[in-house]
Every structure is written in C-alpha cells, then in structure tokens.
Amino acid sequence: MKNIRNFSIIAHIDHGKSTLADRLLEYTKTITKREMQAQVLDDMDLERERGITIKSKAIQMEYEYQGQNPEYKGQKFVLNLIDTPGHVDFSYEVSRSIAACEGALLLVDASQGIQAQTISNLYLALDNDLEIIPVLNKIDLPSANPEEVKDQIVDLIGCKRDEILAASGKTGSGVFELLDAVIERIPAPKGDLQAPAQALIFDSVFNSFRGIIAYFRVLNGEIKKGDKVKFVATDREYIADEIGILKLSLEPKDKVSAGNVGYIISGIKAASEVKVGDTITHVDRPCENAIDGFEEVKPMVFAGIYPVDTDDYEELRDSMEKLKLNDASLTWEPESSAALGFGFRCGFLGMLHMEIIQERLEREFNMTVITTVPNVSYDAFKTSGEELHLRNPSDFPDPSILDRIEEPYIKASIITKSEYIGSIMTLCMDKRGVLINQNYLTTDRVELTFEMPLAEIVFDFYDKLKTISRGYASFDYHQIDYRASDLVKIDILVNGDPVDALSALIHRSKAQDFGRKICEKLKELIHKQQFQIAIQAAIGSKIIARETLSALRKDVTAKCYGGDISRKRKLLEKQKEGKKRMRQVGSVEIPQSAFLAVLKLD
C-alpha cells in the first residue's frame, strides 16, 4: 500500500485540468500514441463540443520514481488520478472525487491568476484534510505572468514560493517533476488489509450489456472476484462477477485491496439498487459501521420535465433513473400538470446543469422533452402555523391564509478586475443583493461578497456578469438560509384559462414589469385564431397586464357594393355574435417556444 497514491486535479473552469491529465497519461505511458487525443478523459460528445468537463473521471497510472529522494529511488508506484470539472454547477462531482483521495493538485492559470472556483475547490479539499500541491499551469503562454500569480498563491495557501511547481499541459514541461512531487508529498493511503472489507462507492454507470458498473475506493480489507458482497445502504447482497481497476478501459483483476480504486460488476439491473456514497462489505464478515458517505446534494433550481408525447412517460422514467446513476446530483419526483399531463419535478444544481441534463436525455435516450420555467423552492407559513415546502408555484396557498413566505438566500463571491466593480455592483443591487464585503486580493483584483436571493440568479445572472466584465469576473456561491420576502404569485391567463406551467413567484416590486413583458412575448408567439384572445397576467383576481391578440377575420361586407351603411353594420354585428360564441368554446394551443421564452425575457 505504501506505493499507492490517490490524487485529483482541481481548478477553476478552463485552467487546463484535462490537458494536464493528458500529459500525465502520456508521460507515464498509460495510453499509447495511437489512443492519444486531446482531452482523452472527456469521453462524452457533449464535453468535447462545449470544451468543458461534466463528469469526473478516474484512471490508474504506473510510474517509476525519477527524483532525488533516496527513499523512493527506482521504485514503481501506482497513481490513481481523478480529473474533475471546474464549473460551479458540477461542484458535487468535485466533492465526491475529493472524498476518494489523499491529495490534490491545485491548478492556477499563469495568465488568469486565482479565480472564484479555485478558492472554493481549495476549501473543499482542505475540509477533507487533503495534501495540496500548488501548480502554476500554462507557463508557456505569452501573456503568462508567473511571478505575480505565485504571489497570489502564497497569499492564498500560505506555502513557500519554492513549493509551487510550474508546468505546461500543452508543451509537457514540468510534468516529470509534478509526478515526483505527487509521490514525495502526497501521503500513502492508510487502511488495514486484515480488517473486514470496507469500500466507498463514488460513481456508477449503466451499461446496457452488463448492467450497472459501480466504481469504488477500498478503505480497509480487500474484495476478490467471486466474493459475496453486500451494499449496506440498500441491504442487498450480490456476487462480485468481475472486479478490476480503471485504466482507459476496464481492466479485470482477481482482487482490489485497501487504498486502491476499482470497479465491480455484479449483474445489477435496477438503478435504484446502487447509491453513490454507499458502503460495500462482505456478507460473511461485514464491517462494523458504514463509511460516512457524502453530504446530501442540495438542488438549487427546480423545473418540470415532461414528455412531448404523454405515452412516453414510462420511457422517460427509465431514462431518468439511468441518468441519475451517472449523475448523482440530479433529484426528481413525479408530478402532473393540467396543461402538460404527467411528468417529473426535477432538482438541478444550476442552469447549466439543467441544460446538460436536457441535452443528455435527447442524445443518450432519444427523449424529446418540454421543460417548464425554472424556479427555486420556498417555505410558506400559514396563519395556523403550518409550514409548507413549495417547489412549484402552483402549490402556492391562498393569500388570505398566508402569514409569510421565506425564500433561499445565498452568499455569492465574485472575483473581478477593479475596473468592473461599478457595473457589477449595479447588477447585484438590481437583483436585490446586499454588499457584505469588498476585499482587494491584489492591486487590480477584488473579491466582492454579496448576500442575495437565489431566485434572482437562477435565470441569466451568470451570463450578464460575464458580459459586463468581458468574461473576467468569476462567480461562486453557496446557500446560507431562508429569509422572509414579499413574494406574489403571477398567473398567466390565456383566453381566461390559467396556464400553470407559466405561473411564477416574483418579488412584488418586479411583478408588474414581469407580467407586462411575458404578455408581450406570448402575443408574438401564440398563433392567431378565428376569435380574439386575451392574454393576461394576474395576481389573485387583480389583472396587472393585458395584451389582446386580434382575430383572423373574413371580409363579410365584400358582397355589399354601395348601398346603405346599415346593411354593412348588420353583417358585421352578425359576425361579432358568431366570434363571441366561438370564443366560449374555442381553446388555444400554446407552442413549446412559449414555455422557453420566459427564460429570455430580456
């Protein structure tokens, strides 16, 4: 076990984690020249197209130490590397991979310096007592500013300047020094080989031929091929048909021992039987207590996902279960809507996460889905003292029996260049934010801390922040608590009927503006009918905005040429009566684009 090292790579978005991982794999000869491609660990089409990492990926390398330390000279080491995502929406992936490691490489881009996600990932690693190795990446760039960025790292971590390694994932310089530092600085895993088996599941995937493959990290004991194993949380027993280690493809072995990372295939078919964070042990010699798994994921954004064709409901349920295996941060429960039929209320970690899930459903499972307006969850307190948890605006209780509503607040940390402070403050104030702290990291880099309602950042906050700061500002947040707010429910009525998929909870000060914008948008998107359609926004029984979509009309007076006006009048009145009757029985079809239009009101 003393020759095993488990480590992950953590950094802000686009600081070169996957490129550096490519070089590590290439220099340890884990993959051949023929298998080599850019971002080799990003194996999803979606990751390659967008150039981001969505899933953390584990892989094992073998390396012979080449440094100066006589203690390790000439020894071979097994290095388990986990490459993690950088986007705030996938921070749950990062927290899980950190739990399976003893150390982390903290990458900082030599041209961009320390950014918000660098700091938050660093705190995640420090909370788990990981050994941190600071690495300055992209030192080959003409715009690199290594000395200044080294000062930032020293201020942040409190390490010595000569402990910071310089490397380039593109050219490969400094990679061997990095591998030697991993062996020297990161501690070997602790564990008892003689103790009962105890392994932590940190990820799982669905394979249509072999069932569910669970990835685990063994803390104590060992798991052999053919053992009878038990999953503690679900209390199910299986036979380990195949176990092995994670190379670029799965590599079967006879046993996986303490300190190592591996996979298990035991013919599990139902997705509900594998839980990320569960403990695997032996049936005949179980461990005394389960490993503390991961903290429960807290979804931030809720939205309804419905099949376009209601007959596909069961198929969508299967797809969601398989997707949850691979993405443990997705939560969902069934719900129904008057307008859209049966579907699911899903919880996501952010808007990008929601967009990725929708795309994966369409690509990997061929499901075309309708997504309703995203919102956050609220706590409502009735005058009787009863507390309700609202995830959907349609659950909103009658205002007459409502005492107060509380909404989730977050602490947002924004790191930016000092020239953009004014416009960023204006943006945050518009979103009901309160400035808590302003901290100069260097002469021209500022960390701003705001407290603001989560509901205000769900839609387009991140995009606007990037626009006004020309892409420089970085943003990170975590939830703090629930606070009372003056919120109202806006109902959208089309032809007098409420459309529950478009209703929203909005702060009273913004209700009028929101109602007016959405009515104007729907007027553009709904097709004209034979009768006049009223599109209204209402709070309770009070209409706050209205647009009228005029009817398609036939020219009934065409046959009157000349003559008395009363003849024309009579024909027009007759038509008017007919339109009135038609309006009472007519129903309006709302196109899918209308549900998504709410996201792009500005």
Side-chain angles (χ1 to χ4, degrees), residues 161-178:
R161 276 182 83 88
D162 56 359
E163 286 177 8
I164 302 170
L165 301 173
S168 162
K170 194 169 163 189
T171 63
S173 70
V175 171
F176 285 124
E177 289 81 354
L178 200 79

Side-chain angles (χ1 to χ4, degrees), residues 524-549:
E524 294 168 22
L525 293 167
I526 293 177
H527 305 302
K528 282 192 170 187
Q529 307 283 342
Q530 292 285 346
F531 49 91
Q532 189 182 14
I533 300 171
I535 302 165
Q536 297 161 309
I539 298 174
S541 56
K542 181 183 167 199
I543 304 292
I544 55 167
R546 170 180 173 135
E547 290 288 333
T548 307
L549 194 62

Side-chain angles (χ1 to χ4, degrees), residues 18-241:
S18 301
T19 313
L20 186 68
D22 289 353
R23 294 293 80 72
L24 293 172
L25 295 175
E26 189 183 350
Y27 283 32
T28 54
K29 300 188 170 60
T30 305
I31 52 178
T32 59
K33 274 270 195 294
R34 202 183 63 179
E35 292 170 318
M36 193 67 220
Q37 53 172 334
Q39 282 86 36
V40 70
L41 293 179
D42 293 349
D43 51 6
M44 224 185 284
D45 293 345
L46 213 52
E47 292 179 313
R48 295 192 162 283
E49 278 167 34
R50 291 176 177 241
I52 57 174
T53 305
I54 294 168
K55 284 288 300 168
S56 46
K57 189 83 196 294
I59 191 162
Q60 193 173 93
M61 310 179 286
E62 285 165 12
Y63 175 68
E64 189 172 318
Y65 180 74
Q66 296 174 8
Q68 301 305 314
N69 191 329
E71 188 189 336
Y72 304 123
K73 204 100 180 140
Q75 291 187 35
K76 277 201 166 165
F77 286 83
V78 169
L79 310 177
N80 289 310
L81 154 77
I82 303 182
D83 179 30
T84 63
H87 198 283
V88 63
D89 279 14
F90 304 117
S91 56
Y92 189 61
E93 287 284 324
V94 182
S95 71
R96 294 204 332 250
S97 36
I98 282 176
C101 295
E102 277 84 31
L105 299 181
L106 182 74
L107 247 59
V108 182
D109 185 328
S111 59
Q112 295 182 48
I114 283 170
Q115 293 186 290
Q117 208 54 28
T118 316
I119 295 175
S120 93
N121 284 342
L122 170 69
Y123 288 154
L124 262 180
L126 290 175
D127 285 348
N128 284 350
D129 296 336
L130 261 61
E131 179 66 38
I132 306 289
I133 300 181
V135 181
L136 203 57
N137 196 21
K138 304 194 184 182
I139 50 167
D140 57 307
L141 289 182
S143 58
N145 197 345
E147 292 312 311
E148 191 182 310
V149 178
K150 274 186 181 175
D151 291 341
Q152 293 178 18
I153 297 175
V154 170
D155 287 348
L156 178 68
I157 305 180
C159 61
K160 299 189 181 76
R161 276 182 83 88
D162 56 359
E163 286 177 8
I164 302 170
L165 301 173
S168 162
K170 194 169 163 189
T171 63
S173 70
V175 171
F176 285 124
E177 289 81 354
L178 200 79
L179 286 162
D180 292 337
V182 165
I183 292 168
E184 288 163 8
R185 296 197 211 169
I186 293 177
K190 295 180 178 66
D192 183 355
L193 273 171
Q194 307 309 319
Q198 193 185 33
L200 173 75
I201 299 179
F202 65 89
D203 205 354
S204 53
V205 307
F206 182 80
N207 181 311
S208 46
F209 300 107
R210 314 205 54 186
I212 289 157
I213 304 172
Y215 299 151
F216 60 82
R217 153 84 202 266
V218 188
L219 297 189
N220 290 310
E222 57 187 23
I223 294 177
K224 297 191 180 82
K225 184 178 177 177
D227 280 352
K228 276 193 86 173
V229 294
K230 178 171 134 181
F231 287 25
V232 178
T234 53
D235 207 23
R236 295 291 188 95
E237 297 178 3
Y238 307 99
I239 288 175
D241 295 337

